[in-house]
């Protein structure tokens, strides 16, 4: 196998299970490379007996970590950053092999992981700095103290296996929490490399913990009362399950970053060349497997025929190949696994059954290596139909569907019609049109003349409706990593007596 798995990480070391039987190793997980399914990357056991020591480790780590100074915490994070830099090529390659993401894109993700340390220290940390209010009342000073929550459970996604989890890990740590990372079982090795960096940076025992495994092992940890925060990035369906398993425990903060059916509006005065460039990237980067991928394009009727024709011409030129060992450097790699491939093809058939015009057919592709390769797809719907499963559901694959409109309010209706509200964008030269969309479109992010795909780490990142539960990530992730304690402090502690207190009679 290509990679060596070390097991679960707790008490400052890796612990690889050797146990058997109903209370020990009940199953093994193996990972094939989606770019070459004959290449088995790794195999690891799922050990449910490790749940208890992992939780105990995180509690012990929290008790120590919460008391050390912020300067010491920053020094640890800087040492972690140094280790990331030393392993950046190794991490990028692992991301590519496990996720199918092209190597150039994985290098970009790795650089984001490294850069996030500085952003967390310089931009996130000030959001939870203690505050003082002199003379908030007569003779009284007011304070707000930001205090850590406790052991924090981070359930990571496969599409950005290091970047998204890293954001939550760093925010939790600098706020004073210990963490348990449970990565996607599809990208377990990439996560292990990050934990290696924490270990080699000398983090104290129990502060950083790793559990590898399936949904069942995640459920056992998130339900435990010792876990005080749960961060999840993934599908709406899994997010609903997490809420079902935690809603009765008010001591837990649950932050969900879920899916999207992200709309773009191309208005009649848009810069067509810019919109083409941005929407090709928005729809097809990461093989459409981003929660912010552009799915629906409301396009002004005066533009739609020429625009779709040019969009189609560009889409046909997209190179799809092995993420690392390519003959031609790809823009798109494969989908993550067979289930995703099958789902994508089901959606293609669904569009046809619903009478939605197929401009470019999404199909399975053959390459030198057997893998989950598909072509991008383009569809045209004459109008938006809220009864259409194809138009209403997140595909999580490389699809872009165009819908013509005449008036801007029609476009806004299209943008707001689905159950999601993550990202949106508008292409126009008219700032008043954009400002109107800012007022009317229901989403957590809205961009002008830039696709829905990608966001600044220095701004909040999160959605409304079924795209999240109002705990945005990126720079704002740290807001969900602490609670606020208010305090009134009387400086002059001289007793004033009960003369001004009604209802008490003292001689």
């Amino acid at each position: 196998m290509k990679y060596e798995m070390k097991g679960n990480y707790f008490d400052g070391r890796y612990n690889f299970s050797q146990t058997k039987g109903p209370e020990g190793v009940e199953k093994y997980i193996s990972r094939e490379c989606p770019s070459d399914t004959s290449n088995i990357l790794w195999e690891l056991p799922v050990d449910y007996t490790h749940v208890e020591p992992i939780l105990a480790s995180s509690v012990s780590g929290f008790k120590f970590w919460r008391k050390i100074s912020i300067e010491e915490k920053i020094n640890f994070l800087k040492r972690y950053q140094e280790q990331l830099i030393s392993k950046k090529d190794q991490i990028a390659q692992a991301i590519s092999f496990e996720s199918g993401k092209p190597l150039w894109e994985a290098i970009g993700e790795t650089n984001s992981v490294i850069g996030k340390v500085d952003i967390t220290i310089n931009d996130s940390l000030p959001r939870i700095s203690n505050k003082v209010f002199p003379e908030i009342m007569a003779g009284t000073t007011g304070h707000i103290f930001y205090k850590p929550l406790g052991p924090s459970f981070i359930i990571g996604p496969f599409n950005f296996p290091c970047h998204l989890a890293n954001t939550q890990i760093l925010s939790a740590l600098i706020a004073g929490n210990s963490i348990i990372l449970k990565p996607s079982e599809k990208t377990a090795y990439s996560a292990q490399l990050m934990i290696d960096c924490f270990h080699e940076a000398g983090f104290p025992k129990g502060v950083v913990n790793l559990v590898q495994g399936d949904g069942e092992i995640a459920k056992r940890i998130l339900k435990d009362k010792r876990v005080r925060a749960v961060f999840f990035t993934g599908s709406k369906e899994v997010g609903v399950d997490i809420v079902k398993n935690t809603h009765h425990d008010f001591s837990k903060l649950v932050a969900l970053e879920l899916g999207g059916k992200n709309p773009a509006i191309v208005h009649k005065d848009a810069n067509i060349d810019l919109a083409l460039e941005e929407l090709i990237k928005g729809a097809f980067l990461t093989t459409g497997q981003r929660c912010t991928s552009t799915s629906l394009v409301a396009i002004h009727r005066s533009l739609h025929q020429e625009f779709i024709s040019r969009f189609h011409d560009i889409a046909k030129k997209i190179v799809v190949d092995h993420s690392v060992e390519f003959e031609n450097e790809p823009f798109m790699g494969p989908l993550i696994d067979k289930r995703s491939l099958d789902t994508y093809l089901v959606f293609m058939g669904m569009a046809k059954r619903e009478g939605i015009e197929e401009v470019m057919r999404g199909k399975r592709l053959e390459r030198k290596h057997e893998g989950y390769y598909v072509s991008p797809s383009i569809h045209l719907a004459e109008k938006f139909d809220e009864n259409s499963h194809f138009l209403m559901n997140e595909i999580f694959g490389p699809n872009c569907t165009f819908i013509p409109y005449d008036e801007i309010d029609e476009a806004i209706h299209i943008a707001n019609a689905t159950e999601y509200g993550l990202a949106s964008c508008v292409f126009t030269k008219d700032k008043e049109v954009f400002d109107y969309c800012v007022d009317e479109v229901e989403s957590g992010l809205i961009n002008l003349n830039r696709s829905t795909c990608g966001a600044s780490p220095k701004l909040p990142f999160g959605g409304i409706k079924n795209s999240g539960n109002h705990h945005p990530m990126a720079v704002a992730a740290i807001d969900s990593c602490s609670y606020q304690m208010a305090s009134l402090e009387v400086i002059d502690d001289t007793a004033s007596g009960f003369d001004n207190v009604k209802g008490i009679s003292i001689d």
Side-chain angles (χ1 to χ4, degrees):
M1 295 184 191
K2 185 173 182 63
Y3 296 130
E4 175 192 359
M5 302 303 295
K6 301 177 183 178
N8 296 321
Y9 183 86
F10 54 93
D11 290 332
R13 66 181 186 279
Y14 284 100
N15 300 267
F16 196 82
S17 175
Q18 300 296 329
T19 61
K20 303 288 183 182
E23 295 303 321
V25 177
E26 297 181 15
K27 64 188 292 187
Y28 281 82
I29 295 174
S30 64
R31 178 61 178 154
E32 62 189 4
C33 175
S35 298
D36 178 4
T37 54
S38 68
N39 183 6
I40 304 302
L41 299 176
W42 48 257
E43 183 181 76
L44 63 83
V46 181
D47 191 341
Y48 301 112
T49 66
H50 280 176
V51 168
E52 176 55 35
I54 287 169
L55 287 164
S57 172
S58 69
V59 171
S60 174
F62 171 63
K63 289 177 179 177
F64 175 80
W65 183 251
R66 67 183 293 269
K67 290 185 176 295
I68 72 171
S69 70
I70 190 62
E71 291 75 21
E72 290 176 281
K73 291 183 178 76
I74 289 172
N75 287 337
F76 276 113
L77 293 191
K78 286 289 191 180
R79 291 205 289 271
Y80 165 65
Q81 186 181 47
E82 291 169 3
Q83 294 300 320
L84 289 170
I85 292 169
S86 71
K87 289 182 169 59
K88 64 180 182 178
D89 293 338
Q90 188 181 353
I91 293 170
Q93 189 176 93
I95 291 171
S96 285
F97 272 110
E98 283 191 309
S99 72
K101 183 180 293 188
L103 184 57
W104 64 266
E105 193 179 347
I107 291 170
E109 177 175 350
T110 306
N111 288 334
S112 294
V113 172
I114 294 168
K116 189 63 183 180
V117 174
D118 294 323
I119 291 171
T120 301
I121 295 167
N122 298 326
D123 297 282
S124 293
L125 184 58
R127 296 171 70 98
I128 60 166
S129 60
N130 293 339
K131 296 174 176 61
V132 181
F133 303 89
E135 287 295 311
I136 198 169
M137 296 163 60
T140 304
T141 301
H143 292 266
I144 299 175
F145 302 106
Y146 290 83
K147 301 185 68 174
L149 299 172
S152 300
F153 187 36
I154 295 162
I155 307 171
F158 71 79
N159 58 344
F160 286 89
C162 292
H163 171 55
L164 293 179
N166 182 66
T167 293
Q168 295 160 352
I169 290 169
L170 293 176
S171 295
L173 289 175
I174 206 165
N177 306 286
S178 61
I179 68 101
I180 303 169
L181 171 63
K182 192 276 175 194
S184 167
E185 54 267 44
K186 300 176 180 70
T187 51
Y189 183 70
S190 300
Q192 180 177 286
L193 290 176
M194 281 206 306
I195 299 302
D196 285 347
C197 292
F198 283 110
H199 178 77
E200 290 163 24
F203 269 69
K205 289 197 308 182
V207 175
V208 173
N209 304 273
L210 170 72
V211 60
Q212 303 278 21
D214 57 3
E216 174 59 27
I217 207 163
K219 185 183 296 185
R220 294 187 186 193
I221 291 174
L222 70 87
K223 290 172 71 173
D224 194 279
K225 287 189 176 297
R226 288 166 286 185
V227 170
R228 294 303 179 90
V230 178
F231 297 88
F232 170 73
T233 306
S235 71
K236 182 201 81 172
E237 291 73 21
V238 177
V240 169
D241 285 342
I242 288 172
V243 171
K244 286 179 180 177
N245 281 287
T246 56
H247 74 276
H248 59 283
D249 186 353
F250 297 136
S251 70
K252 280 182 172 56
L253 184 147
V254 178
L256 304 175
E257 184 181 325
L258 307 176
K261 187 76 174 178
N262 306 296
I265 296 173
V266 182
H267 202 46
K268 57 187 176 183
D269 65 341
N271 180 327
I272 300 303
D273 292 333
L274 174 64
L276 282 167
E277 178 184 332
E278 284 293 312
L279 293 179
I280 284 286
K281 293 186 292 185
F284 303 137
L285 270 173
T286 323
T287 320
Q289 298 172 115
R290 293 190 181 197
C291 56
T292 54
S293 292
T294 307
S295 305
L296 300 172
V297 179
I299 184 164
H300 197 271
R301 198 173 300 277
S302 64
L303 304 175
H304 87 277
Q305 289 183 335
E306 178 190 355
F307 190 95
I308 294 171
S309 176
R310 290 180 64 186
F311 189 86
H312 185 195
D313 288 341
I314 297 169
K316 288 186 290 188
K317 296 178 173 66
I318 288 175
V319 176
V320 184
D321 207 340
H322 194 293
S323 58
V324 182
E325 300 166 357
F326 44 78
E327 294 180 352
N328 298 304
E329 186 169 30
F331 179 80
M332 273 173 38
L335 289 168
I336 190 68
D337 58 16
K338 186 177 186 301
R339 180 180 178 183
S340 293
L341 183 146
D342 291 343
T343 299
Y344 180 67
L345 298 180
V346 165
F347 272 110
M348 297 302 100
M350 185 185 298
K352 189 172 293 187
R353 289 191 299 275
E354 293 181 353
I356 297 171
E357 181 182 342
E358 187 178 75
V359 178
M360 181 175 181
R361 182 164 66 98
K363 60 183 179 179
R364 186 164 190 174
L365 299 177
E366 292 185 1
R367 290 295 180 262
K368 177 182 177 181
H369 301 284
E370 183 75 16
Y372 303 119
Y373 301 102
V374 296
S375 64
S377 59
I378 304 168
H379 288 82
L380 172 63
E382 279 306 311
K383 62 179 181 178
F384 192 86
D385 180 1
E386 294 184 15
N387 295 315
S388 165
H389 291 288
F390 182 80
L391 295 177
M392 293 293 286
N393 284 285
E394 183 180 35
I395 296 173
F396 223 60
N399 174 259
C400 188
T401 300
F402 291 88
I403 307 167
Y405 73 91
D406 295 298
E407 302 296 334
I408 192 64
D409 285 320
E410 296 175 61
I412 290 168
H413 171 73
I414 293 167
N416 290 340
T418 74
E419 64 178 319
Y420 297 103
L422 180 54
S424 59
C425 65
V426 184
F427 292 88
T428 181
K429 296 183 177 70
D430 190 335
K431 188 64 165 55
E432 288 187 8
V433 168
F434 177 68
D435 290 342
Y436 183 62
C437 292
V438 169
D439 277 347
E440 299 296 328
V441 172
E442 300 166 351
S443 65
L445 300 87
I446 186 166
N447 294 330
L448 173 62
N449 297 323
R450 184 183 176 112
S451 83
T452 59
C453 216
S456 169
K458 296 185 178 185
L459 294 173
F461 178 92
I464 59 170
K465 300 196 286 189
N466 281 335
S467 289
N469 66 337
H470 308 286
H471 290 286
M473 294 293 107
V475 74
I478 200 166
D479 299 350
S480 300
C481 296
S482 64
Y483 71 92
Q484 298 178 49
M485 174 186 281
S487 173
L488 294 175
E489 297 184 7
V490 176
I491 307 304
D492 181 359
D493 63 354
T494 303
S496 59
F498 291 92
D499 293 345
N500 295 322
V501 180
K502 295 183 183 297
I504 300 179
S505 177
I506 298 177
D507 293 333

